[in-house]
Structures are given as structure tokens and as C-alpha cells.
């Protein structure tokens, strides 16, 4: 058996077209403020990607670049500025931040109504209790990929490898909300394969190059690879040993071209939703 590939570019492109079509019907232009602190090349490249994608769907994107020695207070003031800015519906502070700035404090300073990354505790709480919330973009994107392929989650055993606040924990919560039975694994989990081989849906989000191989996967499992790692030769790869695992799985996401394009797309989606909510309030 060779797995069906879930093409993230295709899912993302369809969704971006829908977003674009909806943006032009609105009486306001959705606005996204992206704050970049310092000159980390990876962060800069992510931010540029977000800016380009925003423009493509008709979202106004404002990039605020700040030096790495900016004080925490100055950054909080910048967040405050966008919290009350009438043309901005979404605020994203690119992580990681320099060590002298508390990421927690900055995230908690973003108005939950403009928290299009879905990292604010209010949105996390709303997600956990199944209420309307901005959902974190990568987990939300994974859900959309499953839906696109009509992969049912109800009653399925989902095993998540990784428990970070931005990927592992929320993706498990979203799958639980969709009636999956969820198991979390992490770096202290002994005998990882004894858990992962029970998965109907296996989500690999550990940031370890190609460490999930065919011995970790049940025949016919759906395998979602969130990892973005660099091999020694500089090539991008996921957490899953793709060539071997694809012979055992029923569905698989490639890296690149899998989960990655979905993350930005869900940011655009959340910004659009935020603009619509804003219009409902005025
Ligand atoms: P973190 O480093 O924050 O979390 C990694 C998690 O994996 C931790 O919970 C850790 O456990 C667990 N882990 C590490 N090693 C092992 C192991 N050997 N066995 C089992 N569990 C392990 O990473 P993120 O969640 O931020 O990201 C995960 C990956 O996804 C990275 O490669 C990242 O680049 C990628 N990513 C991709 C995105 C995309 O858009 N495609 C978006 C965001 C991230 P413990 O908690 O015990 O330390």
C-alpha cells in the first residue's frame, strides 16, 4: 500500500481563494499587524511569507520592525497601539523574542479579540471549553487538511508526539473536540513506538529529523508530519521518514508542502474572521 498524499499547497490554495473571495465582499479591509523584533533570518523569512500571503488575498499587512534591544515596555506599548488601532483586526508578534522580553507577558498583552495566532490564554480557554475562539494556526490547519480529505476523527485514536503550547497540546485538544480519543507522547515517554503503533491518526510534532519511521506506524494510519527540520546537507525535512512510512500509511503529509502552507492560510482565515467580528460589533 502506498499512502495518499495530503497536498498542503492544494488545500491552502483552495482556502486562500475562498478567503480572497470573501475579503472583497466586506465593507472594511481586514488588517494584520506583524511585529518583528530583531533580525533572526528565519523569523524574517516567516514574516515576509505572511506579508506576501496577506497581500495576495487582499488583507492589509503592516510590518513593524523593531531592534533587538528594544525594551519590554516599548514592545508592550507597540502592542497597545495596535490593540486600539481601528484598521488593524489581527496582531501577530513573531516568536521567538529576545531573552530580556517575556513572551508570556507580550502574548497576554494582545487583545484576545485581535489574537489571530490563537495563543492568548483567553482563546486557549475558549478552545478548551469548545467555545468560539481564534484557533492556533498550525493545529487548525491540520484539522482543515483532515476535513479536506474527508478523514473522520470520531472514535479514532489520535496519538500526538509533542506537547508544546503552539502545536502538540492544541492539536490534541482540537481532535478531542472532534471526538477522537487522544494520547500525548513527549520526551519522557518510554517506548514511544508502543503508543504510536496504536494510532489511527499520528501527529508528529517533536522537531526531530525523520525520527518516526515505519516501526512507529500502524498499517493504514493517517500520518501528519508537522516537523520542519534541516538535515546535515541543509535540506528541509519533517519528523517522519517519509519514503518508508508512506508504504505503510493510508494518508501522509509531505515536508515541504504539507502542514507548512496551512499555517499561514489559517492566519489569513483568522484575520478575516476578526474583521467580520469587528463589523458585527460596530
Ligand atoms: P517544541 O520544541 O516546542 O516541542 C517539541 C515537543 O516534542 C516537546 O513537547 C518535546 O517533549 C517533544 N519531543 C522532543 N523530542 C522527543 C522525542 N524524542 N520523543 C518524543 N517527544 C519528543 O517544538 P514545536 O511544537 O514548536 O514544533 C515542533 C516541530 O514542528 C518543529 O520541527 C517545528 O519547526 C515544527 N513547526 C512547524 C510548523 C509548520 O507550520 N509546519 C509550525 C510550528 C512548528 P518535552 O515537552 O518533554 O520536551
Amino acid at each position: 500500500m502506498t499512502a495518499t498524499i495530503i497536498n498542503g499547497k492544494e488545500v491552502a490554495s483552495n482556502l486562500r481563494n475562498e478567503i480572497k473571495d470573501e475579503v472583497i465582499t466586506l465593507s472594511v479591509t481586514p488588517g494584520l499587524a506583524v511585529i518583528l523584533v530583531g533580525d533572526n533570518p528565519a523569523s524574517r523569512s516567516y514574516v515576509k511569507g505572511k506579508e506576501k500571503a496577506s497581500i495576495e488575498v487582499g488583507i492589509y499587512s503592516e510590518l513593524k520592525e523593531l531592534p533587538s534591544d528594544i525594551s519590554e515596555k516599548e514592545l508592550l506599548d507597540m502592542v497597545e497601539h495596535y490593540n486600539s488601532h481601528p484598521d488593524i483586526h489581527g496582531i501577530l508578534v513573531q516568536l521567538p523574542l529576545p531573552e530580556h522580553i517575556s513572551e508570556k507577558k507580550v502574548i497576554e498583552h494582545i487583545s484576545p479579540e485581535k489574537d489571530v495566532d490563537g495563543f492568548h490564554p483567553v482563546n486557549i480557554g475558549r478552545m478548551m471549553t469548545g467555545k468560539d475562539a481564534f484557533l492556533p494556526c498550525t493545529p487548525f490547519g491540520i484539522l482543515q487538511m483532515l476535513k479536506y480529505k474527508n478523514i473522520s476523527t470520531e472514535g479514532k485514536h489520535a496519538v500526538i508526539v509533542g506537547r508544546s503550547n503552539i502545536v502538540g497540546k492544541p492539536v490534541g485538544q482540537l481532535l478531542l473536540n472532534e471526538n477522537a480519543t487522544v494520547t500525548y507522547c513527549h520526551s519522557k515517554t518510554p517506548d514511544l513506538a508502543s503508543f504510536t503503533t496504536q494510532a489511527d491518526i499520528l501527529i508528529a510534532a517533536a522537531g526531530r529529523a525523520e525520527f518516526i519511521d515505519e516501526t512507529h506506524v500502524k498499517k493504514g494510519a493517517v500520518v501528519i508530519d508537522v516537523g520542519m527540520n534541516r538535515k546535515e546537507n541543509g535540506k528541509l525535512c519533517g519528523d517522519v521518514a517519509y519514503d518508508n512510512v508512506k508504504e505503510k500509511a493510508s494518508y501522509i503529509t509531505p515536508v515541504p508542502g504539507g502542514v507548512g502552507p496551512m499555517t499561514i492560510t489559517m492566519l489569513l482565515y483568522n484575520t478575516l474572521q476578526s474583521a467580520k467580528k469587528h463589523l458585527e460589533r460596530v
Side-chain angles (χ1 to χ4, degrees), residues 138 161-164 166-168 185-188 192 205-208 211 226-229 239 259-260 263:
T138 303
V161 185
R163 56 171 169 181
S164 73
I166 62 166
V167 185
C185 300
H186 46 77
S187 69
K188 307 290 184 290
L192 183 67
R208 297 271 177 272
F211 90 121
V226 188
M228 284 206 302
N229 316 293
D239 284 0
V259 175
T263 298

Side-chain angles (χ1 to χ4, degrees), residues 71-81 105-106 109:
S71 71
E72 185 177 272
K73 165 88 172 57
E74 284 170 302
L75 179 56
L76 293 175
D77 287 348
M78 185 54 65
V79 170
E80 194 58 52
H81 164 74
K105 222 175 189 177
V106 173
H109 210 71

